Amino acid sequence: MVRFQFLPTRHGARIAEILLDTPGTLNAQNLAMVREIRTQLELWRDDASVVAVLMRGVGEKAFCAGGDIKALYYAMTEPGRITEADDFFAEEYALCRELHRYPKPVLAWGNGVVMGGGWGLLAGASHRVVTEISVLAMPEIGIGLFPDVGASDWLGRLKLNVGRMLFLTASRLNAADALAAGAADWALPATSFEVLLQGLDELPWTGHGQTDAAMLSQLLEALSSALPCPLPPAQWEPVQDLVAELVAGDDLLQITRRIAACQTDNVWITQAQKQMATGSPNSIVLSWTLAQRAQGMDYDAVVAMETLAARHSVRHGDFSEGVRARLIDRDNQPRWQDATVEEALARGVTRWFDAV
């Protein structure tokens, strides 16, 4: 479920709070939750008393781990329910698009797990905060999907092409790396949330989006200086130049072979190699293709492209098999349609872009 509440401020303005409240599934979203959030955002857009939006997850473990994948599995596999999966993806992507363009400041408290659709919410926020326990990832190749919620676009905007490494290998960024890569704007201690709320209460909100966004940035800058976050040791940043070399160029087959052949004792890279080796080759090829096509596209076109790819994925791809293997039967032995990236490339990608 998702809950909404208002945080009054001493100057009379209100901050609207979105609380993702499914801690048992790491605050994963379902279709009903997405629809409720979209409805509230539309109402708050025209409410002059609401000056900003705060998003957070209930509990100490996660902001949001993405979509309710088990619910999507049953929608894909039970007769007559496939359109539920279509609707979820279309509306989830629309929600992220709306966040990107929201006229009022949106602060995402990205504490804990931030994955899949959860990263989509964080990426759509104007003010992105992580804590020392934040973990960011787009692990979709492991379940036969692709990094979506606009990630075809915004992963490519991360520094030194690290986004490529993330979507090809399902690698993770910790808080230190998220800041270094440009995936987050500020880091605050996980215990500082009440201090943040006090600061939000004291701001002289004006009701003008740009002015309020600038004031919020100043507050977060001041808090991050006054309350240094105990960041974990960076994992990607120490090997960022090597990673940039591994993912350089426009030949996907060459890149995946280069990653697989890399001789290193760096744990972050060796974990990436393992995850790429067990991920869906179809998903790797599709993820690459979407990212390549997204270059130069406007955001609406990216959303439309991903929506179409999702419709194909729930019908013809490796998605249902990946979820079965990882989350339903838990045998961790998915039977992918293609055994290698080379085979998936040979089969081609045009089918993913035909009307469904």
Side-chain angles (χ1 to χ4, degrees):
M1 62 178 291
V2 59
R3 296 189 284 117
F4 308 98
Q5 63 187 27
F6 290 109
L7 306 175
T9 70
R10 65 182 56 191
H11 298 284
R14 299 191 299 173
I15 297 168
E17 188 174 27
I18 299 170
L19 297 101
L20 302 169
D21 192 4
T22 53
T25 57
L26 298 179
N27 297 320
Q29 300 180 88
N30 56 36
L31 179 57
M33 293 167 67
V34 169
R35 286 176 170 169
E36 289 182 53
I37 296 171
R38 294 187 68 195
T39 297
Q40 290 299 320
L41 286 174
E42 187 61 30
L43 291 172
W44 297 334
R45 177 192 297 270
D46 300 321
D47 186 338
S49 72
V50 174
V51 293
V53 176
L54 170 63
M55 293 190 296
R56 66 183 175 97
V58 171
E60 303 301 321
K61 294 183 178 179
F63 170 60
C64 175
D68 186 338
I69 301 301
K70 285 188 177 180
L72 288 169
Y73 176 80
Y74 295 118
M76 286 188 287
T77 56
E78 293 180 0
R81 295 186 59 192
I82 195 72
T83 56
E84 294 177 33
D86 292 337
D87 291 345
F88 172 78
F89 285 117
E91 298 201 36
E92 182 190 31
Y93 300 172
L95 167 59
C96 292
R97 179 184 60 206
E98 289 155 13
L99 286 171
H100 274 276
R101 296 173 176 171
Y102 207 64
K104 301 177 181 184
V106 178
L107 169 58
W109 177 254
N111 182 57
V113 174
V114 183
M115 292 187 181
W119 195 347
L121 295 177
L122 184 80
S126 59
H127 294 69
R128 305 167 298 171
V129 178
V130 291
T131 74
E132 67 272 19
I133 63 169
S134 295
V135 177
L136 281 62
M138 296 299 290
E140 284 80 3
I141 65 162
I143 55 170
L145 193 57
F146 60 90
D148 53 358
V149 289
S152 301
D153 171 66
W154 47 257
L155 277 179
R157 300 179 188 275
L158 298 183
K159 295 177 182 177
L160 294 174
N161 251 346
V162 66
R164 281 189 176 185
M165 190 71 168
L166 297 182
F167 73 70
L168 291 174
T169 67
S171 296
R172 301 179 174 192
L173 296 179
N174 65 20
D177 289 324
L179 290 171
D185 304 306
W186 295 276
L188 291 173
T191 56
S192 68
F193 186 70
E194 293 301 322
V195 179
L196 171 61
L197 291 182
Q198 182 180 348
L200 295 176
D201 173 51
E202 294 173 353
L203 279 183
W205 300 96
T206 68
H208 299 287
Q210 290 185 339
T211 301
D212 289 341
M215 282 198 304
L216 180 54
S217 295
Q218 291 172 357
L219 170 65
L220 292 168
E221 200 67 38
L223 289 176
S224 63
S225 296
L227 303 168
C229 184
L231 294 172
Q235 297 176 303
W236 159 70
E237 197 174 14
V239 291
Q240 61 184 19
D241 292 336
L242 172 58
V243 171
E245 292 175 8
L246 293 176
V247 300
D250 296 319
D251 187 327
L252 174 60
L253 187 57
Q254 185 180 71
I255 290 169
T256 55
R257 286 175 173 172
R258 198 185 295 143
I259 293 171
C262 180
Q263 298 293 315
T264 178
D265 58 1
N266 178 268
V267 174
W268 192 81
I269 293 179
T270 56
Q271 183 64 29
Q273 291 172 319
K274 293 175 184 176
Q275 290 167 175
M276 187 180 72
T278 57
S280 159
N282 256 308
S283 291
I284 291 172
V285 171
L286 177 57
S287 301
W288 171 266
T289 303
L290 292 169
Q292 293 296 96
R293 293 192 177 200
Q295 296 179 36
M297 277 187 176
D298 64 34
Y299 196 74
D300 283 347
V302 172
V303 170
M305 176 178 67
E306 289 187 350
T307 301
L308 182 57
R311 288 176 65 87
H312 280 279
S313 294
V314 302
R315 290 168 172 80
H316 311 302
D318 281 330
F319 185 30
S320 62
E321 171 60 12
V323 178
R324 179 206 64 76
R326 307 298 190 200
L327 298 175
I328 305 300
D329 297 337
R330 295 181 179 272
D331 58 26
N332 284 316
Q333 300 199 9
R335 297 180 289 273
W336 302 130
Q337 293 178 2
D338 295 298
T340 65
V341 169
E342 188 171 14
E343 287 181 18
L345 281 168
R347 205 147 62 93
V349 296
T350 56
R351 66 191 186 280
W352 297 100
F353 302 98
D354 293 334
V356 177

